[in-house]
Amino acid sequence: MYNLLLAGAAALVGYGIGAVLVDWVAGFVPAILFFIVAFILLARRTGKQVEAIFKVAMEQLQAGQLPAARATMLTALPHGKWQVLVAKQVESQLGALDYLEACSMLMQRQVTASKERFASARAHLEKSWNRDWRARALLACCQHRANDTDGAHKTFTAAEGPASNEALFFGVWVYVLNEARRREEALQVVGRGIKGSPKSAPLLAIQAEMQNRRRPDFKVFGEGWYQFFPEHIPQEVLVEQARAAGKLPQQAAANSGF
């Protein structure tokens, strides 16, 4: 990207200085130093710019301003031309925002709108870094929700390496297979997950339930689970969140059917 090209130009300058002052062989030493220093400084500058954008977007998201957060996040995409992996990072964040909104729409029974938003999330997540296991797991969830279990399974499999020690990743994978009634494959996956995380209480509990032919409670993963399946958040937690945000009067919460 641009930062790489600029660092390369700095290296040429360094080489020229060394070659003129000493000889053509000595020019390689300042060339390497100039390249490293220039690249680090340029990458740091781009990183700070993107970080500032993400900070504003997060504040908007916490304020419930999802469209504004998405618009702010989009302004970070041009920085992908300057630094390697920045665009992929932004795409994963945009995909996560769209996925969250799609789930919210689905919970509000806005089926058509949710399908469109899931499609948007999938388009962004497909451009995410293939070693970002959270983004790839979200992509697999989009495929799962579109009844593409084979596609989801392939996505999980491709991301297994970077996520080999992430119990939550395997939990989501097992859930997708189990929902598709592919129990034997799910058992194999939970076994691979335990191999990478032998002390994972959630994975061990899920394995025990499946071996006894009982439906596992995947909410044992706690809050991390809800980033993939927010519809599984207990109703009492939703009530508390609404009350904390000032969207539900205290008395109404006490008298609600939640």
Side-chain angles (χ1 to χ4, degrees), residues 6 9 29 31 36 42 51 55 86 137-138 140-141 152 180 185 203 239 253:
L6 290 173
V29 175
I36 293 174
L42 290 167
E51 184 180 346
K55 182 179 179 181
V86 166
L138 282 175
C141 286
E185 289 176 280
L203 285 180
V239 171

Side-chain angles (χ1 to χ4, degrees), residues 120-246:
S120 177
R122 181 170 178 170
H124 285 301
L125 293 168
E126 285 174 342
K127 299 175 185 176
S128 65
W129 191 28
N130 57 11
R131 295 190 65 83
D132 182 348
W133 70 266
R134 292 183 185 276
R136 307 314 283 185
L138 282 175
L139 173 59
C141 286
C142 288
Q143 295 167 316
H144 159 67
R145 292 176 185 274
N147 296 318
D148 181 12
T149 305
D150 287 337
H153 187 47
K154 289 179 181 178
T155 298
F156 279 122
T157 302
E160 183 176 357
S164 59
N165 297 321
E166 301 293 343
L168 180 57
F169 172 85
F170 285 94
V172 178
W173 190 355
V174 171
Y175 174 82
V176 168
L177 290 174
N178 197 53
E179 287 294 294
R181 301 180 184 277
R182 292 163 64 161
R183 180 176 172 278
E184 293 305 318
E185 289 176 280
L187 276 170
Q188 292 175 8
V189 168
V190 76
R192 299 212 298 267
I194 291 173
K195 184 178 180 180
S197 303
K199 296 182 180 180
S200 171
L203 285 180
L204 290 170
I206 289 170
Q207 184 185 55
E209 292 295 295
M210 293 186 68
Q211 288 175 338
N212 289 309
R213 296 191 174 276
R214 292 195 293 262
R215 183 177 177 82
D217 180 8
F218 289 88
K219 293 194 288 293
V220 293
F221 283 100
E223 292 185 2
W225 182 256
Y226 305 133
Q227 64 185 296
F228 299 100
F229 299 100
E231 66 269 28
H232 293 174
I233 299 176
Q235 292 181 325
E236 59 270 21
V237 175
L238 292 175
V239 171
E240 288 300 322
Q241 291 177 345
R243 184 190 295 122

Side-chain angles (χ1 to χ4, degrees), residues 15 32 70 75 161 222:
Y15 177 81
I32 295 172
R70 183 185 296 107
T75 64

